[in-house]
């Protein structure tokens, strides 16, 4: 069945370092991918998205890379800050024209000051 | 603040009971989605409505139902509650059926 999984359940980095969070997806038909950040007690917050016709997209301090050949997504956070500490989810749109997101299990990012 | 409002924030109820969770989407958003988040299952898509009509269905139990009203708010009804239904229930909304969705703060349901 469809599944989105994460290689690392936890990641601990020093403030100022770059962080890389990885994600594998299994549905080769998925055409839209999103990274969400979830802080304790809050709902998932959109970070960045990428469509399957792209392999890289950059935002403010974040970059998403998509490798369709190996069905792999990564989220790079530059100059990680304590405020970046949260659980990060990758999600794929498995609903075609509908927004039916399949979420990975999440990676807990801890930024040490 | 995403602009999506969910009530109540917390809900404690007994097994066998029925509850209703409410969601007000962001102004202008036509699409509403419901997700369940539990420790063992992660974030699971339940159901999507677009402009009042059901658009997509995920792993939603038969004991659960939802609807979207003419004013676009949505309700998720959970009946014959079981201990395993304890979870965070999130609502999200988006402008279209395949555009970025914004999540509410969630309703934490505890079944005792």
């Amino acid at each position: 069945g469809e599944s989105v999984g994460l290689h690392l359940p936890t990641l601990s980095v020093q403030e100022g370092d770059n962080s890389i969070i990885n994600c594998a997806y299994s549905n080769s038909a998925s055409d839209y991918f999103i990274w969400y950040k979830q802080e304790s007690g809050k709902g998932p917050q959109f970070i960045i998205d990428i469509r399957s016709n792209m392999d890289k997209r950059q935002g403010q301090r974040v970059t998403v890379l998509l490798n369709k050949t190996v069905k792999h997504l990564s989220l790079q956070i530059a100059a990680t800050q304590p405020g970046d500490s949260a659980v990060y989810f990758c999600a794929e749109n498995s609903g075609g024209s509908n927004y039916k997101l399949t979420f990975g299990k999440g990676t807990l990012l801890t930024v040490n000051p | 603040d995403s602009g999506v409002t969910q009530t109540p924030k917390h809900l404690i109820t007994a097994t066998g009971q029925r509850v209703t969770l409410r969601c007000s989407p962001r102004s202008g958003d036509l699409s509403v989605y419901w997700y369940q988040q539990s420790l063992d299952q992660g974030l699971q898509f339940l159901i999507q409505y677009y402009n009042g009509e059901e658009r997509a269905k995920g792993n939603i139990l038969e004991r659960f139902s939802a609807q979207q009203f003419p004013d676009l708010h949505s309700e998720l009804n959970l009946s014959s509650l079981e201990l395993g239904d304890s979870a965070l229930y999130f609502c999200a909304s988006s402008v279209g059926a395949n555009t970025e969705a914004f999540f509410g703060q969630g309703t934490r349901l505890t079944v005792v």
Side-chain angles (χ1 to χ4, degrees), chain A residues 36 38 41-44 46 51 89 93 96-101 103 105, chain B residues 33 35 37 40-41 45 48 55 57 90 97-101 103-104:
Chain A
Y36 280 92
Q38 187 175 22
K42 296 186 178 181
F46 174 91
R51 298 201 180 269
F89 294 95
N93 182 13
S97 62
N98 299 311
Y99 203 78
K100 181 183 170 185
L101 293 177
F103 280 81
K105 296 295 184 190
Chain B
Y33 315 80
Y35 287 83
Q37 186 175 37
D40 56 342
Q41 294 291 324
F45 169 76
Q48 176 196 2
R55 190 69 180 253
K57 221 166 183 176
F90 286 104
N98 192 21
T99 55
E100 175 191 338
F103 282 76

PDB file of all heavy atoms in Angstrom, chain A residues 36 38 41-44 46 51 89 93 96-101 103 105, chain B residues 33 35 37 40-41 45 48 55 57 90 97-101 103-104:
ATOM      1  N   TYR A  36       5.992  19.446   6.462  1.00  0.00           N
ATOM      2  CA  TYR A  36       5.295  20.152   7.536  1.00  0.00           C
ATOM      3  C   TYR A  36       6.143  20.118   8.800  1.00  0.00           C
ATOM      4  O   TYR A  36       6.877  19.162   9.058  1.00  0.00           O
ATOM      5  CB  TYR A  36       3.944  19.506   7.854  1.00  0.00           C
ATOM      6  CG  TYR A  36       2.830  19.861   6.910  1.00  0.00           C
ATOM      7  CD1 TYR A  36       2.557  19.074   5.791  1.00  0.00           C
ATOM      8  CD2 TYR A  36       2.038  20.978   7.131  1.00  0.00           C
ATOM      9  CE1 TYR A  36       1.521  19.389   4.932  1.00  0.00           C
ATOM     10  CE2 TYR A  36       1.001  21.311   6.278  1.00  0.00           C
ATOM     11  CZ  TYR A  36       0.741  20.508   5.185  1.00  0.00           C
ATOM     12  OH  TYR A  36      -0.279  20.832   4.339  1.00  0.00           O
ATOM     13  N   GLN A  38       5.712  20.428  12.973  1.00  0.00           N
ATOM     14  CA  GLN A  38       4.713  20.422  14.038  1.00  0.00           C
ATOM     15  C   GLN A  38       5.383  20.639  15.388  1.00  0.00           C
ATOM     16  O   GLN A  38       6.196  19.820  15.818  1.00  0.00           O
ATOM     17  CB  GLN A  38       3.916  19.114  14.054  1.00  0.00           C
ATOM     18  CG  GLN A  38       2.758  19.120  15.037  1.00  0.00           C
ATOM     19  CD  GLN A  38       1.911  17.869  14.964  1.00  0.00           C
ATOM     20  OE1 GLN A  38       2.343  16.825  14.495  1.00  0.00           O
ATOM     21  NE2 GLN A  38       0.671  17.966  15.426  1.00  0.00           N
ATOM     22  N   GLY A  41       1.834  20.644  20.776  1.00  0.00           N
ATOM     23  CA  GLY A  41       0.542  21.249  21.062  1.00  0.00           C
ATOM     24  C   GLY A  41      -0.048  22.042  19.913  1.00  0.00           C
ATOM     25  O   GLY A  41      -1.075  22.709  20.081  1.00  0.00           O
ATOM     26  N   LYS A  42       0.594  21.970  18.749  1.00  0.00           N
ATOM     27  CA  LYS A  42       0.085  22.738  17.609  1.00  0.00           C
ATOM     28  C   LYS A  42      -0.193  21.817  16.430  1.00  0.00           C
ATOM     29  O   LYS A  42       0.246  20.673  16.389  1.00  0.00           O
ATOM     30  CB  LYS A  42       1.105  23.801  17.201  1.00  0.00           C
ATOM     31  CG  LYS A  42       1.345  24.865  18.270  1.00  0.00           C
ATOM     32  CD  LYS A  42       2.255  25.952  17.745  1.00  0.00           C
ATOM     33  CE  LYS A  42       2.444  27.040  18.785  1.00  0.00           C
ATOM     34  NZ  LYS A  42       3.323  28.129  18.285  1.00  0.00           N
ATOM     35  N   GLY A  43      -0.897  22.356  15.469  1.00  0.00           N
ATOM     36  CA  GLY A  43      -1.139  21.613  14.249  1.00  0.00           C
ATOM     37  C   GLY A  43       0.048  21.695  13.310  1.00  0.00           C
ATOM     38  O   GLY A  43       0.918  22.550  13.467  1.00  0.00           O
ATOM     39  N   PRO A  44       0.110  20.809  12.325  1.00  0.00           N
ATOM     40  CA  PRO A  44       1.201  20.875  11.343  1.00  0.00           C
ATOM     41  C   PRO A  44       1.204  22.211  10.613  1.00  0.00           C
ATOM     42  O   PRO A  44       0.150  22.738  10.255  1.00  0.00           O
ATOM     43  CB  PRO A  44       0.861  19.725  10.383  1.00  0.00           C
ATOM     44  CG  PRO A  44       0.022  18.793  11.184  1.00  0.00           C
ATOM     45  CD  PRO A  44      -0.771  19.668  12.090  1.00  0.00           C
ATOM     46  N   PHE A  46       2.773  24.288   7.361  1.00  0.00           N
ATOM     47  CA  PHE A  46       3.391  24.152   6.049  1.00  0.00           C
ATOM     48  C   PHE A  46       4.765  24.811   6.042  1.00  0.00           C
ATOM     49  O   PHE A  46       4.929  25.925   6.510  1.00  0.00           O
ATOM     50  CB  PHE A  46       2.478  24.803   5.006  1.00  0.00           C
ATOM     51  CG  PHE A  46       3.055  24.866   3.628  1.00  0.00           C
ATOM     52  CD1 PHE A  46       2.833  23.845   2.726  1.00  0.00           C
ATOM     53  CD2 PHE A  46       3.813  25.954   3.221  1.00  0.00           C
ATOM     54  CE1 PHE A  46       3.349  23.904   1.448  1.00  0.00           C
ATOM     55  CE2 PHE A  46       4.335  26.032   1.945  1.00  0.00           C
ATOM     56  CZ  PHE A  46       4.101  24.996   1.047  1.00  0.00           C
ATOM     57  N   ARG A  51       6.566  19.989  -6.541  1.00  0.00           N
ATOM     58  CA  ARG A  51       5.816  19.147  -7.466  1.00  0.00           C
ATOM     59  C   ARG A  51       6.785  18.207  -8.174  1.00  0.00           C
ATOM     60  O   ARG A  51       7.987  18.448  -8.241  1.00  0.00           O
ATOM     61  CB  ARG A  51       5.033  20.013  -8.460  1.00  0.00           C
ATOM     62  CG  ARG A  51       4.032  20.883  -7.732  1.00  0.00           C
ATOM     63  CD  ARG A  51       2.879  21.387  -8.579  1.00  0.00           C
ATOM     64  NE  ARG A  51       1.980  22.203  -7.762  1.00  0.00           N
ATOM     65  CZ  ARG A  51       0.933  21.721  -7.113  1.00  0.00           C
ATOM     66  NH1 ARG A  51       0.650  20.435  -7.182  1.00  0.00           N
ATOM     67  NH2 ARG A  51       0.179  22.509  -6.382  1.00  0.00           N
ATOM     68  N   PHE A  89       7.394  16.406   9.278  1.00  0.00           N
ATOM     69  CA  PHE A  89       6.728  15.365   8.514  1.00  0.00           C
ATOM     70  C   PHE A  89       6.880  15.637   7.033  1.00  0.00           C
ATOM     71  O   PHE A  89       6.694  16.774   6.588  1.00  0.00           O
ATOM     72  CB  PHE A  89       5.228  15.341   8.816  1.00  0.00           C
ATOM     73  CG  PHE A  89       4.865  14.942  10.207  1.00  0.00           C
ATOM     74  CD1 PHE A  89       4.653  15.904  11.178  1.00  0.00           C
ATOM     75  CD2 PHE A  89       4.710  13.613  10.547  1.00  0.00           C
ATOM     76  CE1 PHE A  89       4.290  15.559  12.467  1.00  0.00           C
ATOM     77  CE2 PHE A  89       4.348  13.247  11.832  1.00  0.00           C
ATOM     78  CZ  PHE A  89       4.143  14.223  12.791  1.00  0.00           C
ATOM     79  N   ASN A  93       0.957  13.729  -1.813  1.00  0.00           N
ATOM     80  CA  ASN A  93      -0.430  13.782  -2.241  1.00  0.00           C
ATOM     81  C   ASN A  93      -0.725  12.525  -3.029  1.00  0.00           C
ATOM     82  O   ASN A  93      -0.269  12.379  -4.165  1.00  0.00           O
ATOM     83  CB  ASN A  93      -0.698  15.018  -3.085  1.00  0.00           C
ATOM     84  CG  ASN A  93      -2.155  15.116  -3.493  1.00  0.00           C
ATOM     85  OD1 ASN A  93      -3.008  14.414  -2.956  1.00  0.00           O
ATOM     86  ND2 ASN A  93      -2.448  15.984  -4.439  1.00  0.00           N
ATOM     87  N   GLY A  96      -4.324  12.401  -6.204  1.00  0.00           N
ATOM     88  CA  GLY A  96      -4.461  12.950  -7.545  1.00  0.00           C
ATOM     89  C   GLY A  96      -4.928  14.387  -7.495  1.00  0.00           C
ATOM     90  O   GLY A  96      -4.283  15.249  -6.929  1.00  0.00           O
ATOM     91  N   SER A  97      -6.111  14.634  -8.052  1.00  0.00           N
ATOM     92  CA  SER A  97      -6.620  16.005  -8.085  1.00  0.00           C
ATOM     93  C   SER A  97      -7.169  16.442  -6.742  1.00  0.00           C
ATOM     94  O   SER A  97      -7.551  17.590  -6.557  1.00  0.00           O
ATOM     95  CB  SER A  97      -7.709  16.138  -9.150  1.00  0.00           C
ATOM     96  OG  SER A  97      -8.793  15.279  -8.824  1.00  0.00           O
ATOM     97  N   ASN A  98      -7.245  15.557  -5.796  1.00  0.00           N
ATOM     98  CA  ASN A  98      -7.682  15.908  -4.444  1.00  0.00           C
ATOM     99  C   ASN A  98      -6.480  15.922  -3.516  1.00  0.00           C
ATOM    100  O   ASN A  98      -5.469  15.295  -3.774  1.00  0.00           O
ATOM    101  CB  ASN A  98      -8.709  14.900  -3.928  1.00  0.00           C
ATOM    102  CG  ASN A  98      -9.944  14.882  -4.795  1.00  0.00           C
ATOM    103  OD1 ASN A  98     -10.494  15.918  -5.093  1.00  0.00           O
ATOM    104  ND2 ASN A  98     -10.346  13.696  -5.214  1.00  0.00           N
ATOM    105  N   TYR A  99      -6.630  16.650  -2.413  1.00  0.00           N
ATOM    106  CA  TYR A  99      -5.510  16.856  -1.509  1.00  0.00           C
ATOM    107  C   TYR A  99      -5.556  15.797  -0.435  1.00  0.00           C
ATOM    108  O   TYR A  99      -5.910  16.068   0.707  1.00  0.00           O
ATOM    109  CB  TYR A  99      -5.631  18.254  -0.913  1.00  0.00           C
ATOM    110  CG  TYR A  99      -4.348  18.861  -0.412  1.00  0.00           C
ATOM    111  CD1 TYR A  99      -3.437  19.400  -1.291  1.00  0.00           C
ATOM    112  CD2 TYR A  99      -4.077  18.923   0.940  1.00  0.00           C
ATOM    113  CE1 TYR A  99      -2.273  19.983  -0.835  1.00  0.00           C
ATOM    114  CE2 TYR A  99      -2.924  19.507   1.404  1.00  0.00           C
ATOM    115  CZ  TYR A  99      -2.027  20.046   0.510  1.00  0.00           C
ATOM    116  OH  TYR A  99      -0.888  20.640   0.965  1.00  0.00           O
ATOM    117  N   LYS A 100      -5.207  14.563  -0.807  1.00  0.00           N
ATOM    118  CA  LYS A 100      -5.273  13.451   0.136  1.00  0.00           C
ATOM    119  C   LYS A 100      -3.845  13.120   0.539  1.00  0.00           C
ATOM    120  O   LYS A 100      -3.143  12.395  -0.166  1.00  0.00           O
ATOM    121  CB  LYS A 100      -5.944  12.256  -0.543  1.00  0.00           C
ATOM    122  CG  LYS A 100      -6.093  11.038   0.339  1.00  0.00           C
ATOM    123  CD  LYS A 100      -6.712   9.898  -0.475  1.00  0.00           C
ATOM    124  CE  LYS A 100      -6.660   8.605   0.287  1.00  0.00           C
ATOM    125  NZ  LYS A 100      -7.152   7.477  -0.519  1.00  0.00           N
ATOM    126  N   LEU A 101      -3.407  13.705   1.627  1.00  0.00           N
ATOM    127  CA  LEU A 101      -2.019  13.576   2.023  1.00  0.00           C
ATOM    128  C   LEU A 101      -1.764  12.303   2.809  1.00  0.00           C
ATOM    129  O   LEU A 101      -2.493  11.963   3.721  1.00  0.00           O
ATOM    130  CB  LEU A 101      -1.603  14.769   2.887  1.00  0.00           C
ATOM    131  CG  LEU A 101      -1.555  16.123   2.192  1.00  0.00           C
ATOM    132  CD1 LEU A 101      -1.190  17.201   3.189  1.00  0.00           C
ATOM    133  CD2 LEU A 101      -0.553  16.106   1.041  1.00  0.00           C
ATOM    134  N   PHE A 103       1.052  10.955   5.246  1.00  0.00           N
ATOM    135  CA  PHE A 103       2.146  11.488   6.046  1.00  0.00           C
ATOM    136  C   PHE A 103       3.111  10.397   6.457  1.00  0.00           C
ATOM    137  O   PHE A 103       2.729   9.259   6.719  1.00  0.00           O
ATOM    138  CB  PHE A 103       1.600  12.142   7.317  1.00  0.00           C
ATOM    139  CG  PHE A 103       1.049  13.521   7.115  1.00  0.00           C
ATOM    140  CD1 PHE A 103      -0.229  13.707   6.622  1.00  0.00           C
ATOM    141  CD2 PHE A 103       1.815  14.638   7.434  1.00  0.00           C
ATOM    142  CE1 PHE A 103      -0.742  14.986   6.446  1.00  0.00           C
ATOM    143  CE2 PHE A 103       1.310  15.911   7.256  1.00  0.00           C
ATOM    144  CZ  PHE A 103       0.031  16.082   6.768  1.00  0.00           C
ATOM    145  N   LYS A 105       6.033   9.144   9.350  1.00  0.00           N
ATOM    146  CA  LYS A 105       5.937   9.041  10.804  1.00  0.00           C
ATOM    147  C   LYS A 105       6.498  10.268  11.517  1.00  0.00           C
ATOM    148  O   LYS A 105       6.168  10.531  12.657  1.00  0.00           O
ATOM    149  CB  LYS A 105       6.669   7.791  11.307  1.00  0.00           C
ATOM    150  CG  LYS A 105       6.061   6.484  10.828  1.00  0.00           C
ATOM    151  CD  LYS A 105       4.675   6.266  11.383  1.00  0.00           C
ATOM    152  CE  LYS A 105       4.134   4.914  10.967  1.00  0.00           C
ATOM    153  NZ  LYS A 105       2.711   4.755  11.285  1.00  0.00           N
TER     154      LYS A 105
ATOM    155  N   TYR B  33     -10.517  19.255   5.313  1.00  0.00           N
ATOM    156  CA  TYR B  33      -9.974  17.910   5.475  1.00  0.00           C
ATOM    157  C   TYR B  33      -9.950  17.564   6.961  1.00  0.00           C
ATOM    158  O   TYR B  33      -9.714  18.430   7.796  1.00  0.00           O
ATOM    159  CB  TYR B  33      -8.531  17.847   4.959  1.00  0.00           C
ATOM    160  CG  TYR B  33      -8.307  18.523   3.641  1.00  0.00           C
ATOM    161  CD1 TYR B  33      -8.152  19.907   3.563  1.00  0.00           C
ATOM    162  CD2 TYR B  33      -8.239  17.795   2.460  1.00  0.00           C
ATOM    163  CE1 TYR B  33      -7.943  20.552   2.360  1.00  0.00           C
ATOM    164  CE2 TYR B  33      -8.027  18.426   1.251  1.00  0.00           C
ATOM    165  CZ  TYR B  33      -7.887  19.798   1.203  1.00  0.00           C
ATOM    166  OH  TYR B  33      -7.681  20.421  -0.001  1.00  0.00           O
ATOM    167  N   TYR B  35      -8.084  14.906   9.726  1.00  0.00           N
ATOM    168  CA  TYR B  35      -6.995  13.975   9.972  1.00  0.00           C
ATOM    169  C   TYR B  35      -7.033  13.522  11.422  1.00  0.00           C
ATOM    170  O   TYR B  35      -7.444  14.264  12.310  1.00  0.00           O
ATOM    171  CB  TYR B  35      -5.629  14.631   9.715  1.00  0.00           C
ATOM    172  CG  TYR B  35      -5.310  14.854   8.264  1.00  0.00           C
ATOM    173  CD1 TYR B  35      -5.779  15.974   7.588  1.00  0.00           C
ATOM    174  CD2 TYR B  35      -4.547  13.929   7.558  1.00  0.00           C
ATOM    175  CE1 TYR B  35      -5.512  16.163   6.253  1.00  0.00           C
ATOM    176  CE2 TYR B  35      -4.255  14.120   6.220  1.00  0.00           C
ATOM    177  CZ  TYR B  35      -4.744  15.234   5.571  1.00  0.00           C
ATOM    178  OH  TYR B  35      -4.463  15.420   4.245  1.00  0.00           O
ATOM    179  N   GLN B  37      -4.486  11.980  14.411  1.00  0.00           N
ATOM    180  CA  GLN B  37      -3.087  11.763  14.771  1.00  0.00           C
ATOM    181  C   GLN B  37      -3.013  10.986  16.077  1.00  0.00           C
ATOM    182  O   GLN B  37      -3.454  11.461  17.114  1.00  0.00           O
ATOM    183  CB  GLN B  37      -2.334  13.088  14.907  1.00  0.00           C
ATOM    184  CG  GLN B  37      -0.839  12.898  15.146  1.00  0.00           C
ATOM    185  CD  GLN B  37      -0.078  14.223  15.159  1.00  0.00           C
ATOM    186  OE1 GLN B  37      -0.575  15.235  15.645  1.00  0.00           O
ATOM    187  NE2 GLN B  37       1.127  14.223  14.611  1.00  0.00           N
ATOM    188  N   ASP B  40       0.573   5.656  17.551  1.00  0.00           N
ATOM    189  CA  ASP B  40       0.977   4.462  16.808  1.00  0.00           C
ATOM    190  C   ASP B  40       0.710   4.561  15.315  1.00  0.00           C
ATOM    191  O   ASP B  40       1.393   3.910  14.520  1.00  0.00           O
ATOM    192  CB  ASP B  40       0.289   3.219  17.393  1.00  0.00           C
ATOM    193  CG  ASP B  40      -1.223   3.364  17.402  1.00  0.00           C
ATOM    194  OD1 ASP B  40      -1.696   4.499  17.295  1.00  0.00           O
ATOM    195  OD2 ASP B  40      -1.907   2.328  17.517  1.00  0.00           O
ATOM    196  N   GLN B  41      -0.231   5.397  14.913  1.00  0.00           N
ATOM    197  CA  GLN B  41      -0.585   5.476  13.488  1.00  0.00           C
ATOM    198  C   GLN B  41      -0.085   6.749  12.820  1.00  0.00           C
ATOM    199  O   GLN B  41      -0.156   6.875  11.604  1.00  0.00           O
ATOM    200  CB  GLN B  41      -2.110   5.395  13.309  1.00  0.00           C
ATOM    201  CG  GLN B  41      -2.696   4.055  13.698  1.00  0.00           C
ATOM    202  CD  GLN B  41      -2.289   2.950  12.755  1.00  0.00           C
ATOM    203  OE1 GLN B  41      -2.160   3.156  11.551  1.00  0.00           O
ATOM    204  NE2 GLN B  41      -2.027   1.780  13.291  1.00  0.00           N
ATOM    205  N   PHE B  45      -5.132  10.486   7.081  1.00  0.00           N
ATOM    206  CA  PHE B  45      -6.196  11.212   6.391  1.00  0.00           C
ATOM    207  C   PHE B  45      -7.520  10.479   6.596  1.00  0.00           C
ATOM    208  O   PHE B  45      -7.610   9.265   6.418  1.00  0.00           O
ATOM    209  CB  PHE B  45      -5.853  11.295   4.897  1.00  0.00           C
ATOM    210  CG  PHE B  45      -6.974  11.791   4.035  1.00  0.00           C
ATOM    211  CD1 PHE B  45      -7.305  13.134   4.009  1.00  0.00           C
ATOM    212  CD2 PHE B  45      -7.708  10.913   3.251  1.00  0.00           C
ATOM    213  CE1 PHE B  45      -8.335  13.597   3.203  1.00  0.00           C
ATOM    214  CE2 PHE B  45      -8.731  11.371   2.440  1.00  0.00           C
ATOM    215  CZ  PHE B  45      -9.058  12.712   2.414  1.00  0.00           C
ATOM    216  N   GLN B  48     -12.243  14.299   3.054  1.00  0.00           N
ATOM    217  CA  GLN B  48     -12.159  15.646   2.499  1.00  0.00           C
ATOM    218  C   GLN B  48     -13.513  16.054   1.949  1.00  0.00           C
ATOM    219  O   GLN B  48     -14.207  15.248   1.307  1.00  0.00           O
ATOM    220  CB  GLN B  48     -11.130  15.698   1.366  1.00  0.00           C
ATOM    221  CG  GLN B  48     -11.057  17.048   0.666  1.00  0.00           C
ATOM    222  CD  GLN B  48     -10.340  17.005  -0.674  1.00  0.00           C
ATOM    223  OE1 GLN B  48      -9.912  15.951  -1.127  1.00  0.00           O
ATOM    224  NE2 GLN B  48     -10.194  18.150  -1.310  1.00  0.00           N
ATOM    225  N   ARG B  55     -15.301  14.644  -1.151  1.00  0.00           N
ATOM    226  CA  ARG B  55     -14.414  14.610  -2.306  1.00  0.00           C
ATOM    227  C   ARG B  55     -13.469  13.415  -2.272  1.00  0.00           C
ATOM    228  O   ARG B  55     -13.149  12.830  -3.296  1.00  0.00           O
ATOM    229  CB  ARG B  55     -13.604  15.901  -2.327  1.00  0.00           C
ATOM    230  CG  ARG B  55     -12.811  16.147  -3.578  1.00  0.00           C
ATOM    231  CD  ARG B  55     -13.671  16.438  -4.777  1.00  0.00           C
ATOM    232  NE  ARG B  55     -12.873  16.679  -5.951  1.00  0.00           N
ATOM    233  CZ  ARG B  55     -12.694  17.871  -6.516  1.00  0.00           C
ATOM    234  NH1 ARG B  55     -13.265  18.932  -5.986  1.00  0.00           N
ATOM    235  NH2 ARG B  55     -11.963  17.982  -7.582  1.00  0.00           N
ATOM    236  N   LYS B  57     -12.011  10.030   0.444  1.00  0.00           N
ATOM    237  CA  LYS B  57     -12.150   9.312   1.699  1.00  0.00           C
ATOM    238  C   LYS B  57     -10.878   8.536   1.976  1.00  0.00           C
ATOM    239  O   LYS B  57     -10.295   7.933   1.073  1.00  0.00           O
ATOM    240  CB  LYS B  57     -13.322   8.345   1.586  1.00  0.00           C
ATOM    241  CG  LYS B  57     -14.201   8.266   2.794  1.00  0.00           C
ATOM    242  CD  LYS B  57     -15.509   7.557   2.474  1.00  0.00           C
ATOM    243  CE  LYS B  57     -16.410   7.559   3.670  1.00  0.00           C
ATOM    244  NZ  LYS B  57     -17.725   6.983   3.393  1.00  0.00           N
ATOM    245  N   PHE B  90      -7.327  16.657  13.642  1.00  0.00           N
ATOM    246  CA  PHE B  90      -7.025  17.928  13.007  1.00  0.00           C
ATOM    247  C   PHE B  90      -7.956  18.169  11.839  1.00  0.00           C
ATOM    248  O   PHE B  90      -8.295  17.254  11.085  1.00  0.00           O
ATOM    249  CB  PHE B  90      -5.589  17.951  12.487  1.00  0.00           C
ATOM    250  CG  PHE B  90      -4.556  18.088  13.564  1.00  0.00           C
ATOM    251  CD1 PHE B  90      -3.802  17.001  13.978  1.00  0.00           C
ATOM    252  CD2 PHE B  90      -4.325  19.323  14.167  1.00  0.00           C
ATOM    253  CE1 PHE B  90      -2.851  17.123  14.972  1.00  0.00           C
ATOM    254  CE2 PHE B  90      -3.371  19.455  15.159  1.00  0.00           C
ATOM    255  CZ  PHE B  90      -2.642  18.351  15.567  1.00  0.00           C
ATOM    256  N   ALA B  97      -9.214  22.120  -4.223  1.00  0.00           N
ATOM    257  CA  ALA B  97      -9.162  20.717  -3.833  1.00  0.00           C
ATOM    258  C   ALA B  97      -7.754  20.154  -3.905  1.00  0.00           C
ATOM    259  O   ALA B  97      -7.498  19.080  -3.409  1.00  0.00           O
ATOM    260  CB  ALA B  97     -10.083  19.895  -4.730  1.00  0.00           C
ATOM    261  N   ASN B  98      -6.826  20.872  -4.498  1.00  0.00           N
ATOM    262  CA  ASN B  98      -5.463  20.362  -4.619  1.00  0.00           C
ATOM    263  C   ASN B  98      -4.463  21.490  -4.414  1.00  0.00           C
ATOM    264  O   ASN B  98      -3.531  21.666  -5.185  1.00  0.00           O
ATOM    265  CB  ASN B  98      -5.255  19.714  -5.997  1.00  0.00           C
ATOM    266  CG  ASN B  98      -3.966  18.930  -6.061  1.00  0.00           C
ATOM    267  OD1 ASN B  98      -3.413  18.531  -5.042  1.00  0.00           O
ATOM    268  ND2 ASN B  98      -3.467  18.727  -7.260  1.00  0.00           N
ATOM    269  N   THR B  99      -4.716  22.268  -3.393  1.00  0.00           N
ATOM    270  CA  THR B  99      -3.822  23.371  -3.053  1.00  0.00           C
ATOM    271  C   THR B  99      -3.389  23.254  -1.597  1.00  0.00           C
ATOM    272  O   THR B  99      -3.962  22.483  -0.842  1.00  0.00           O
ATOM    273  CB  THR B  99      -4.500  24.730  -3.290  1.00  0.00           C
ATOM    274  OG1 THR B  99      -5.735  24.759  -2.544  1.00  0.00           O
ATOM    275  CG2 THR B  99      -4.803  24.939  -4.762  1.00  0.00           C
ATOM    276  N   GLU B 100      -2.405  24.049  -1.245  1.00  0.00           N
ATOM    277  CA  GLU B 100      -1.829  23.995   0.093  1.00  0.00           C
ATOM    278  C   GLU B 100      -2.900  24.081   1.173  1.00  0.00           C
ATOM    279  O   GLU B 100      -3.772  24.938   1.128  1.00  0.00           O
ATOM    280  CB  GLU B 100      -0.843  25.140   0.250  1.00  0.00           C
ATOM    281  CG  GLU B 100      -0.249  25.291   1.623  1.00  0.00           C
ATOM    282  CD  GLU B 100       0.496  26.602   1.741  1.00  0.00           C
ATOM    283  OE1 GLU B 100       0.898  27.158   0.704  1.00  0.00           O
ATOM    284  OE2 GLU B 100       0.675  27.076   2.871  1.00  0.00           O
ATOM    285  N   ALA B 101      -2.820  23.173   2.125  1.00  0.00           N
ATOM    286  CA  ALA B 101      -3.793  23.148   3.210  1.00  0.00           C
ATOM    287  C   ALA B 101      -3.183  23.690   4.492  1.00  0.00           C
ATOM    288  O   ALA B 101      -2.014  23.477   4.785  1.00  0.00           O
ATOM    289  CB  ALA B 101      -4.279  21.723   3.438  1.00  0.00           C
ATOM    290  N   PHE B 103      -3.580  23.847   8.649  1.00  0.00           N
ATOM    291  CA  PHE B 103      -4.132  23.045   9.729  1.00  0.00           C
ATOM    292  C   PHE B 103      -4.564  23.884  10.922  1.00  0.00           C
ATOM    293  O   PHE B 103      -3.939  24.903  11.243  1.00  0.00           O
ATOM    294  CB  PHE B 103      -3.094  22.028  10.210  1.00  0.00           C
ATOM    295  CG  PHE B 103      -2.945  20.835   9.321  1.00  0.00           C
ATOM    296  CD1 PHE B 103      -2.256  20.928   8.118  1.00  0.00           C
ATOM    297  CD2 PHE B 103      -3.496  19.620   9.680  1.00  0.00           C
ATOM    298  CE1 PHE B 103      -2.118  19.821   7.291  1.00  0.00           C
ATOM    299  CE2 PHE B 103      -3.359  18.497   8.864  1.00  0.00           C
ATOM    300  CZ  PHE B 103      -2.673  18.603   7.666  1.00  0.00           C
ATOM    301  N   GLY B 104      -5.619  23.419  11.578  1.00  0.00           N
ATOM    302  CA  GLY B 104      -6.027  24.005  12.847  1.00  0.00           C
ATOM    303  C   GLY B 104      -5.189  23.457  13.983  1.00  0.00           C
ATOM    304  O   GLY B 104      -4.261  22.672  13.763  1.00  0.00           O
TER     305      GLY B 104
END
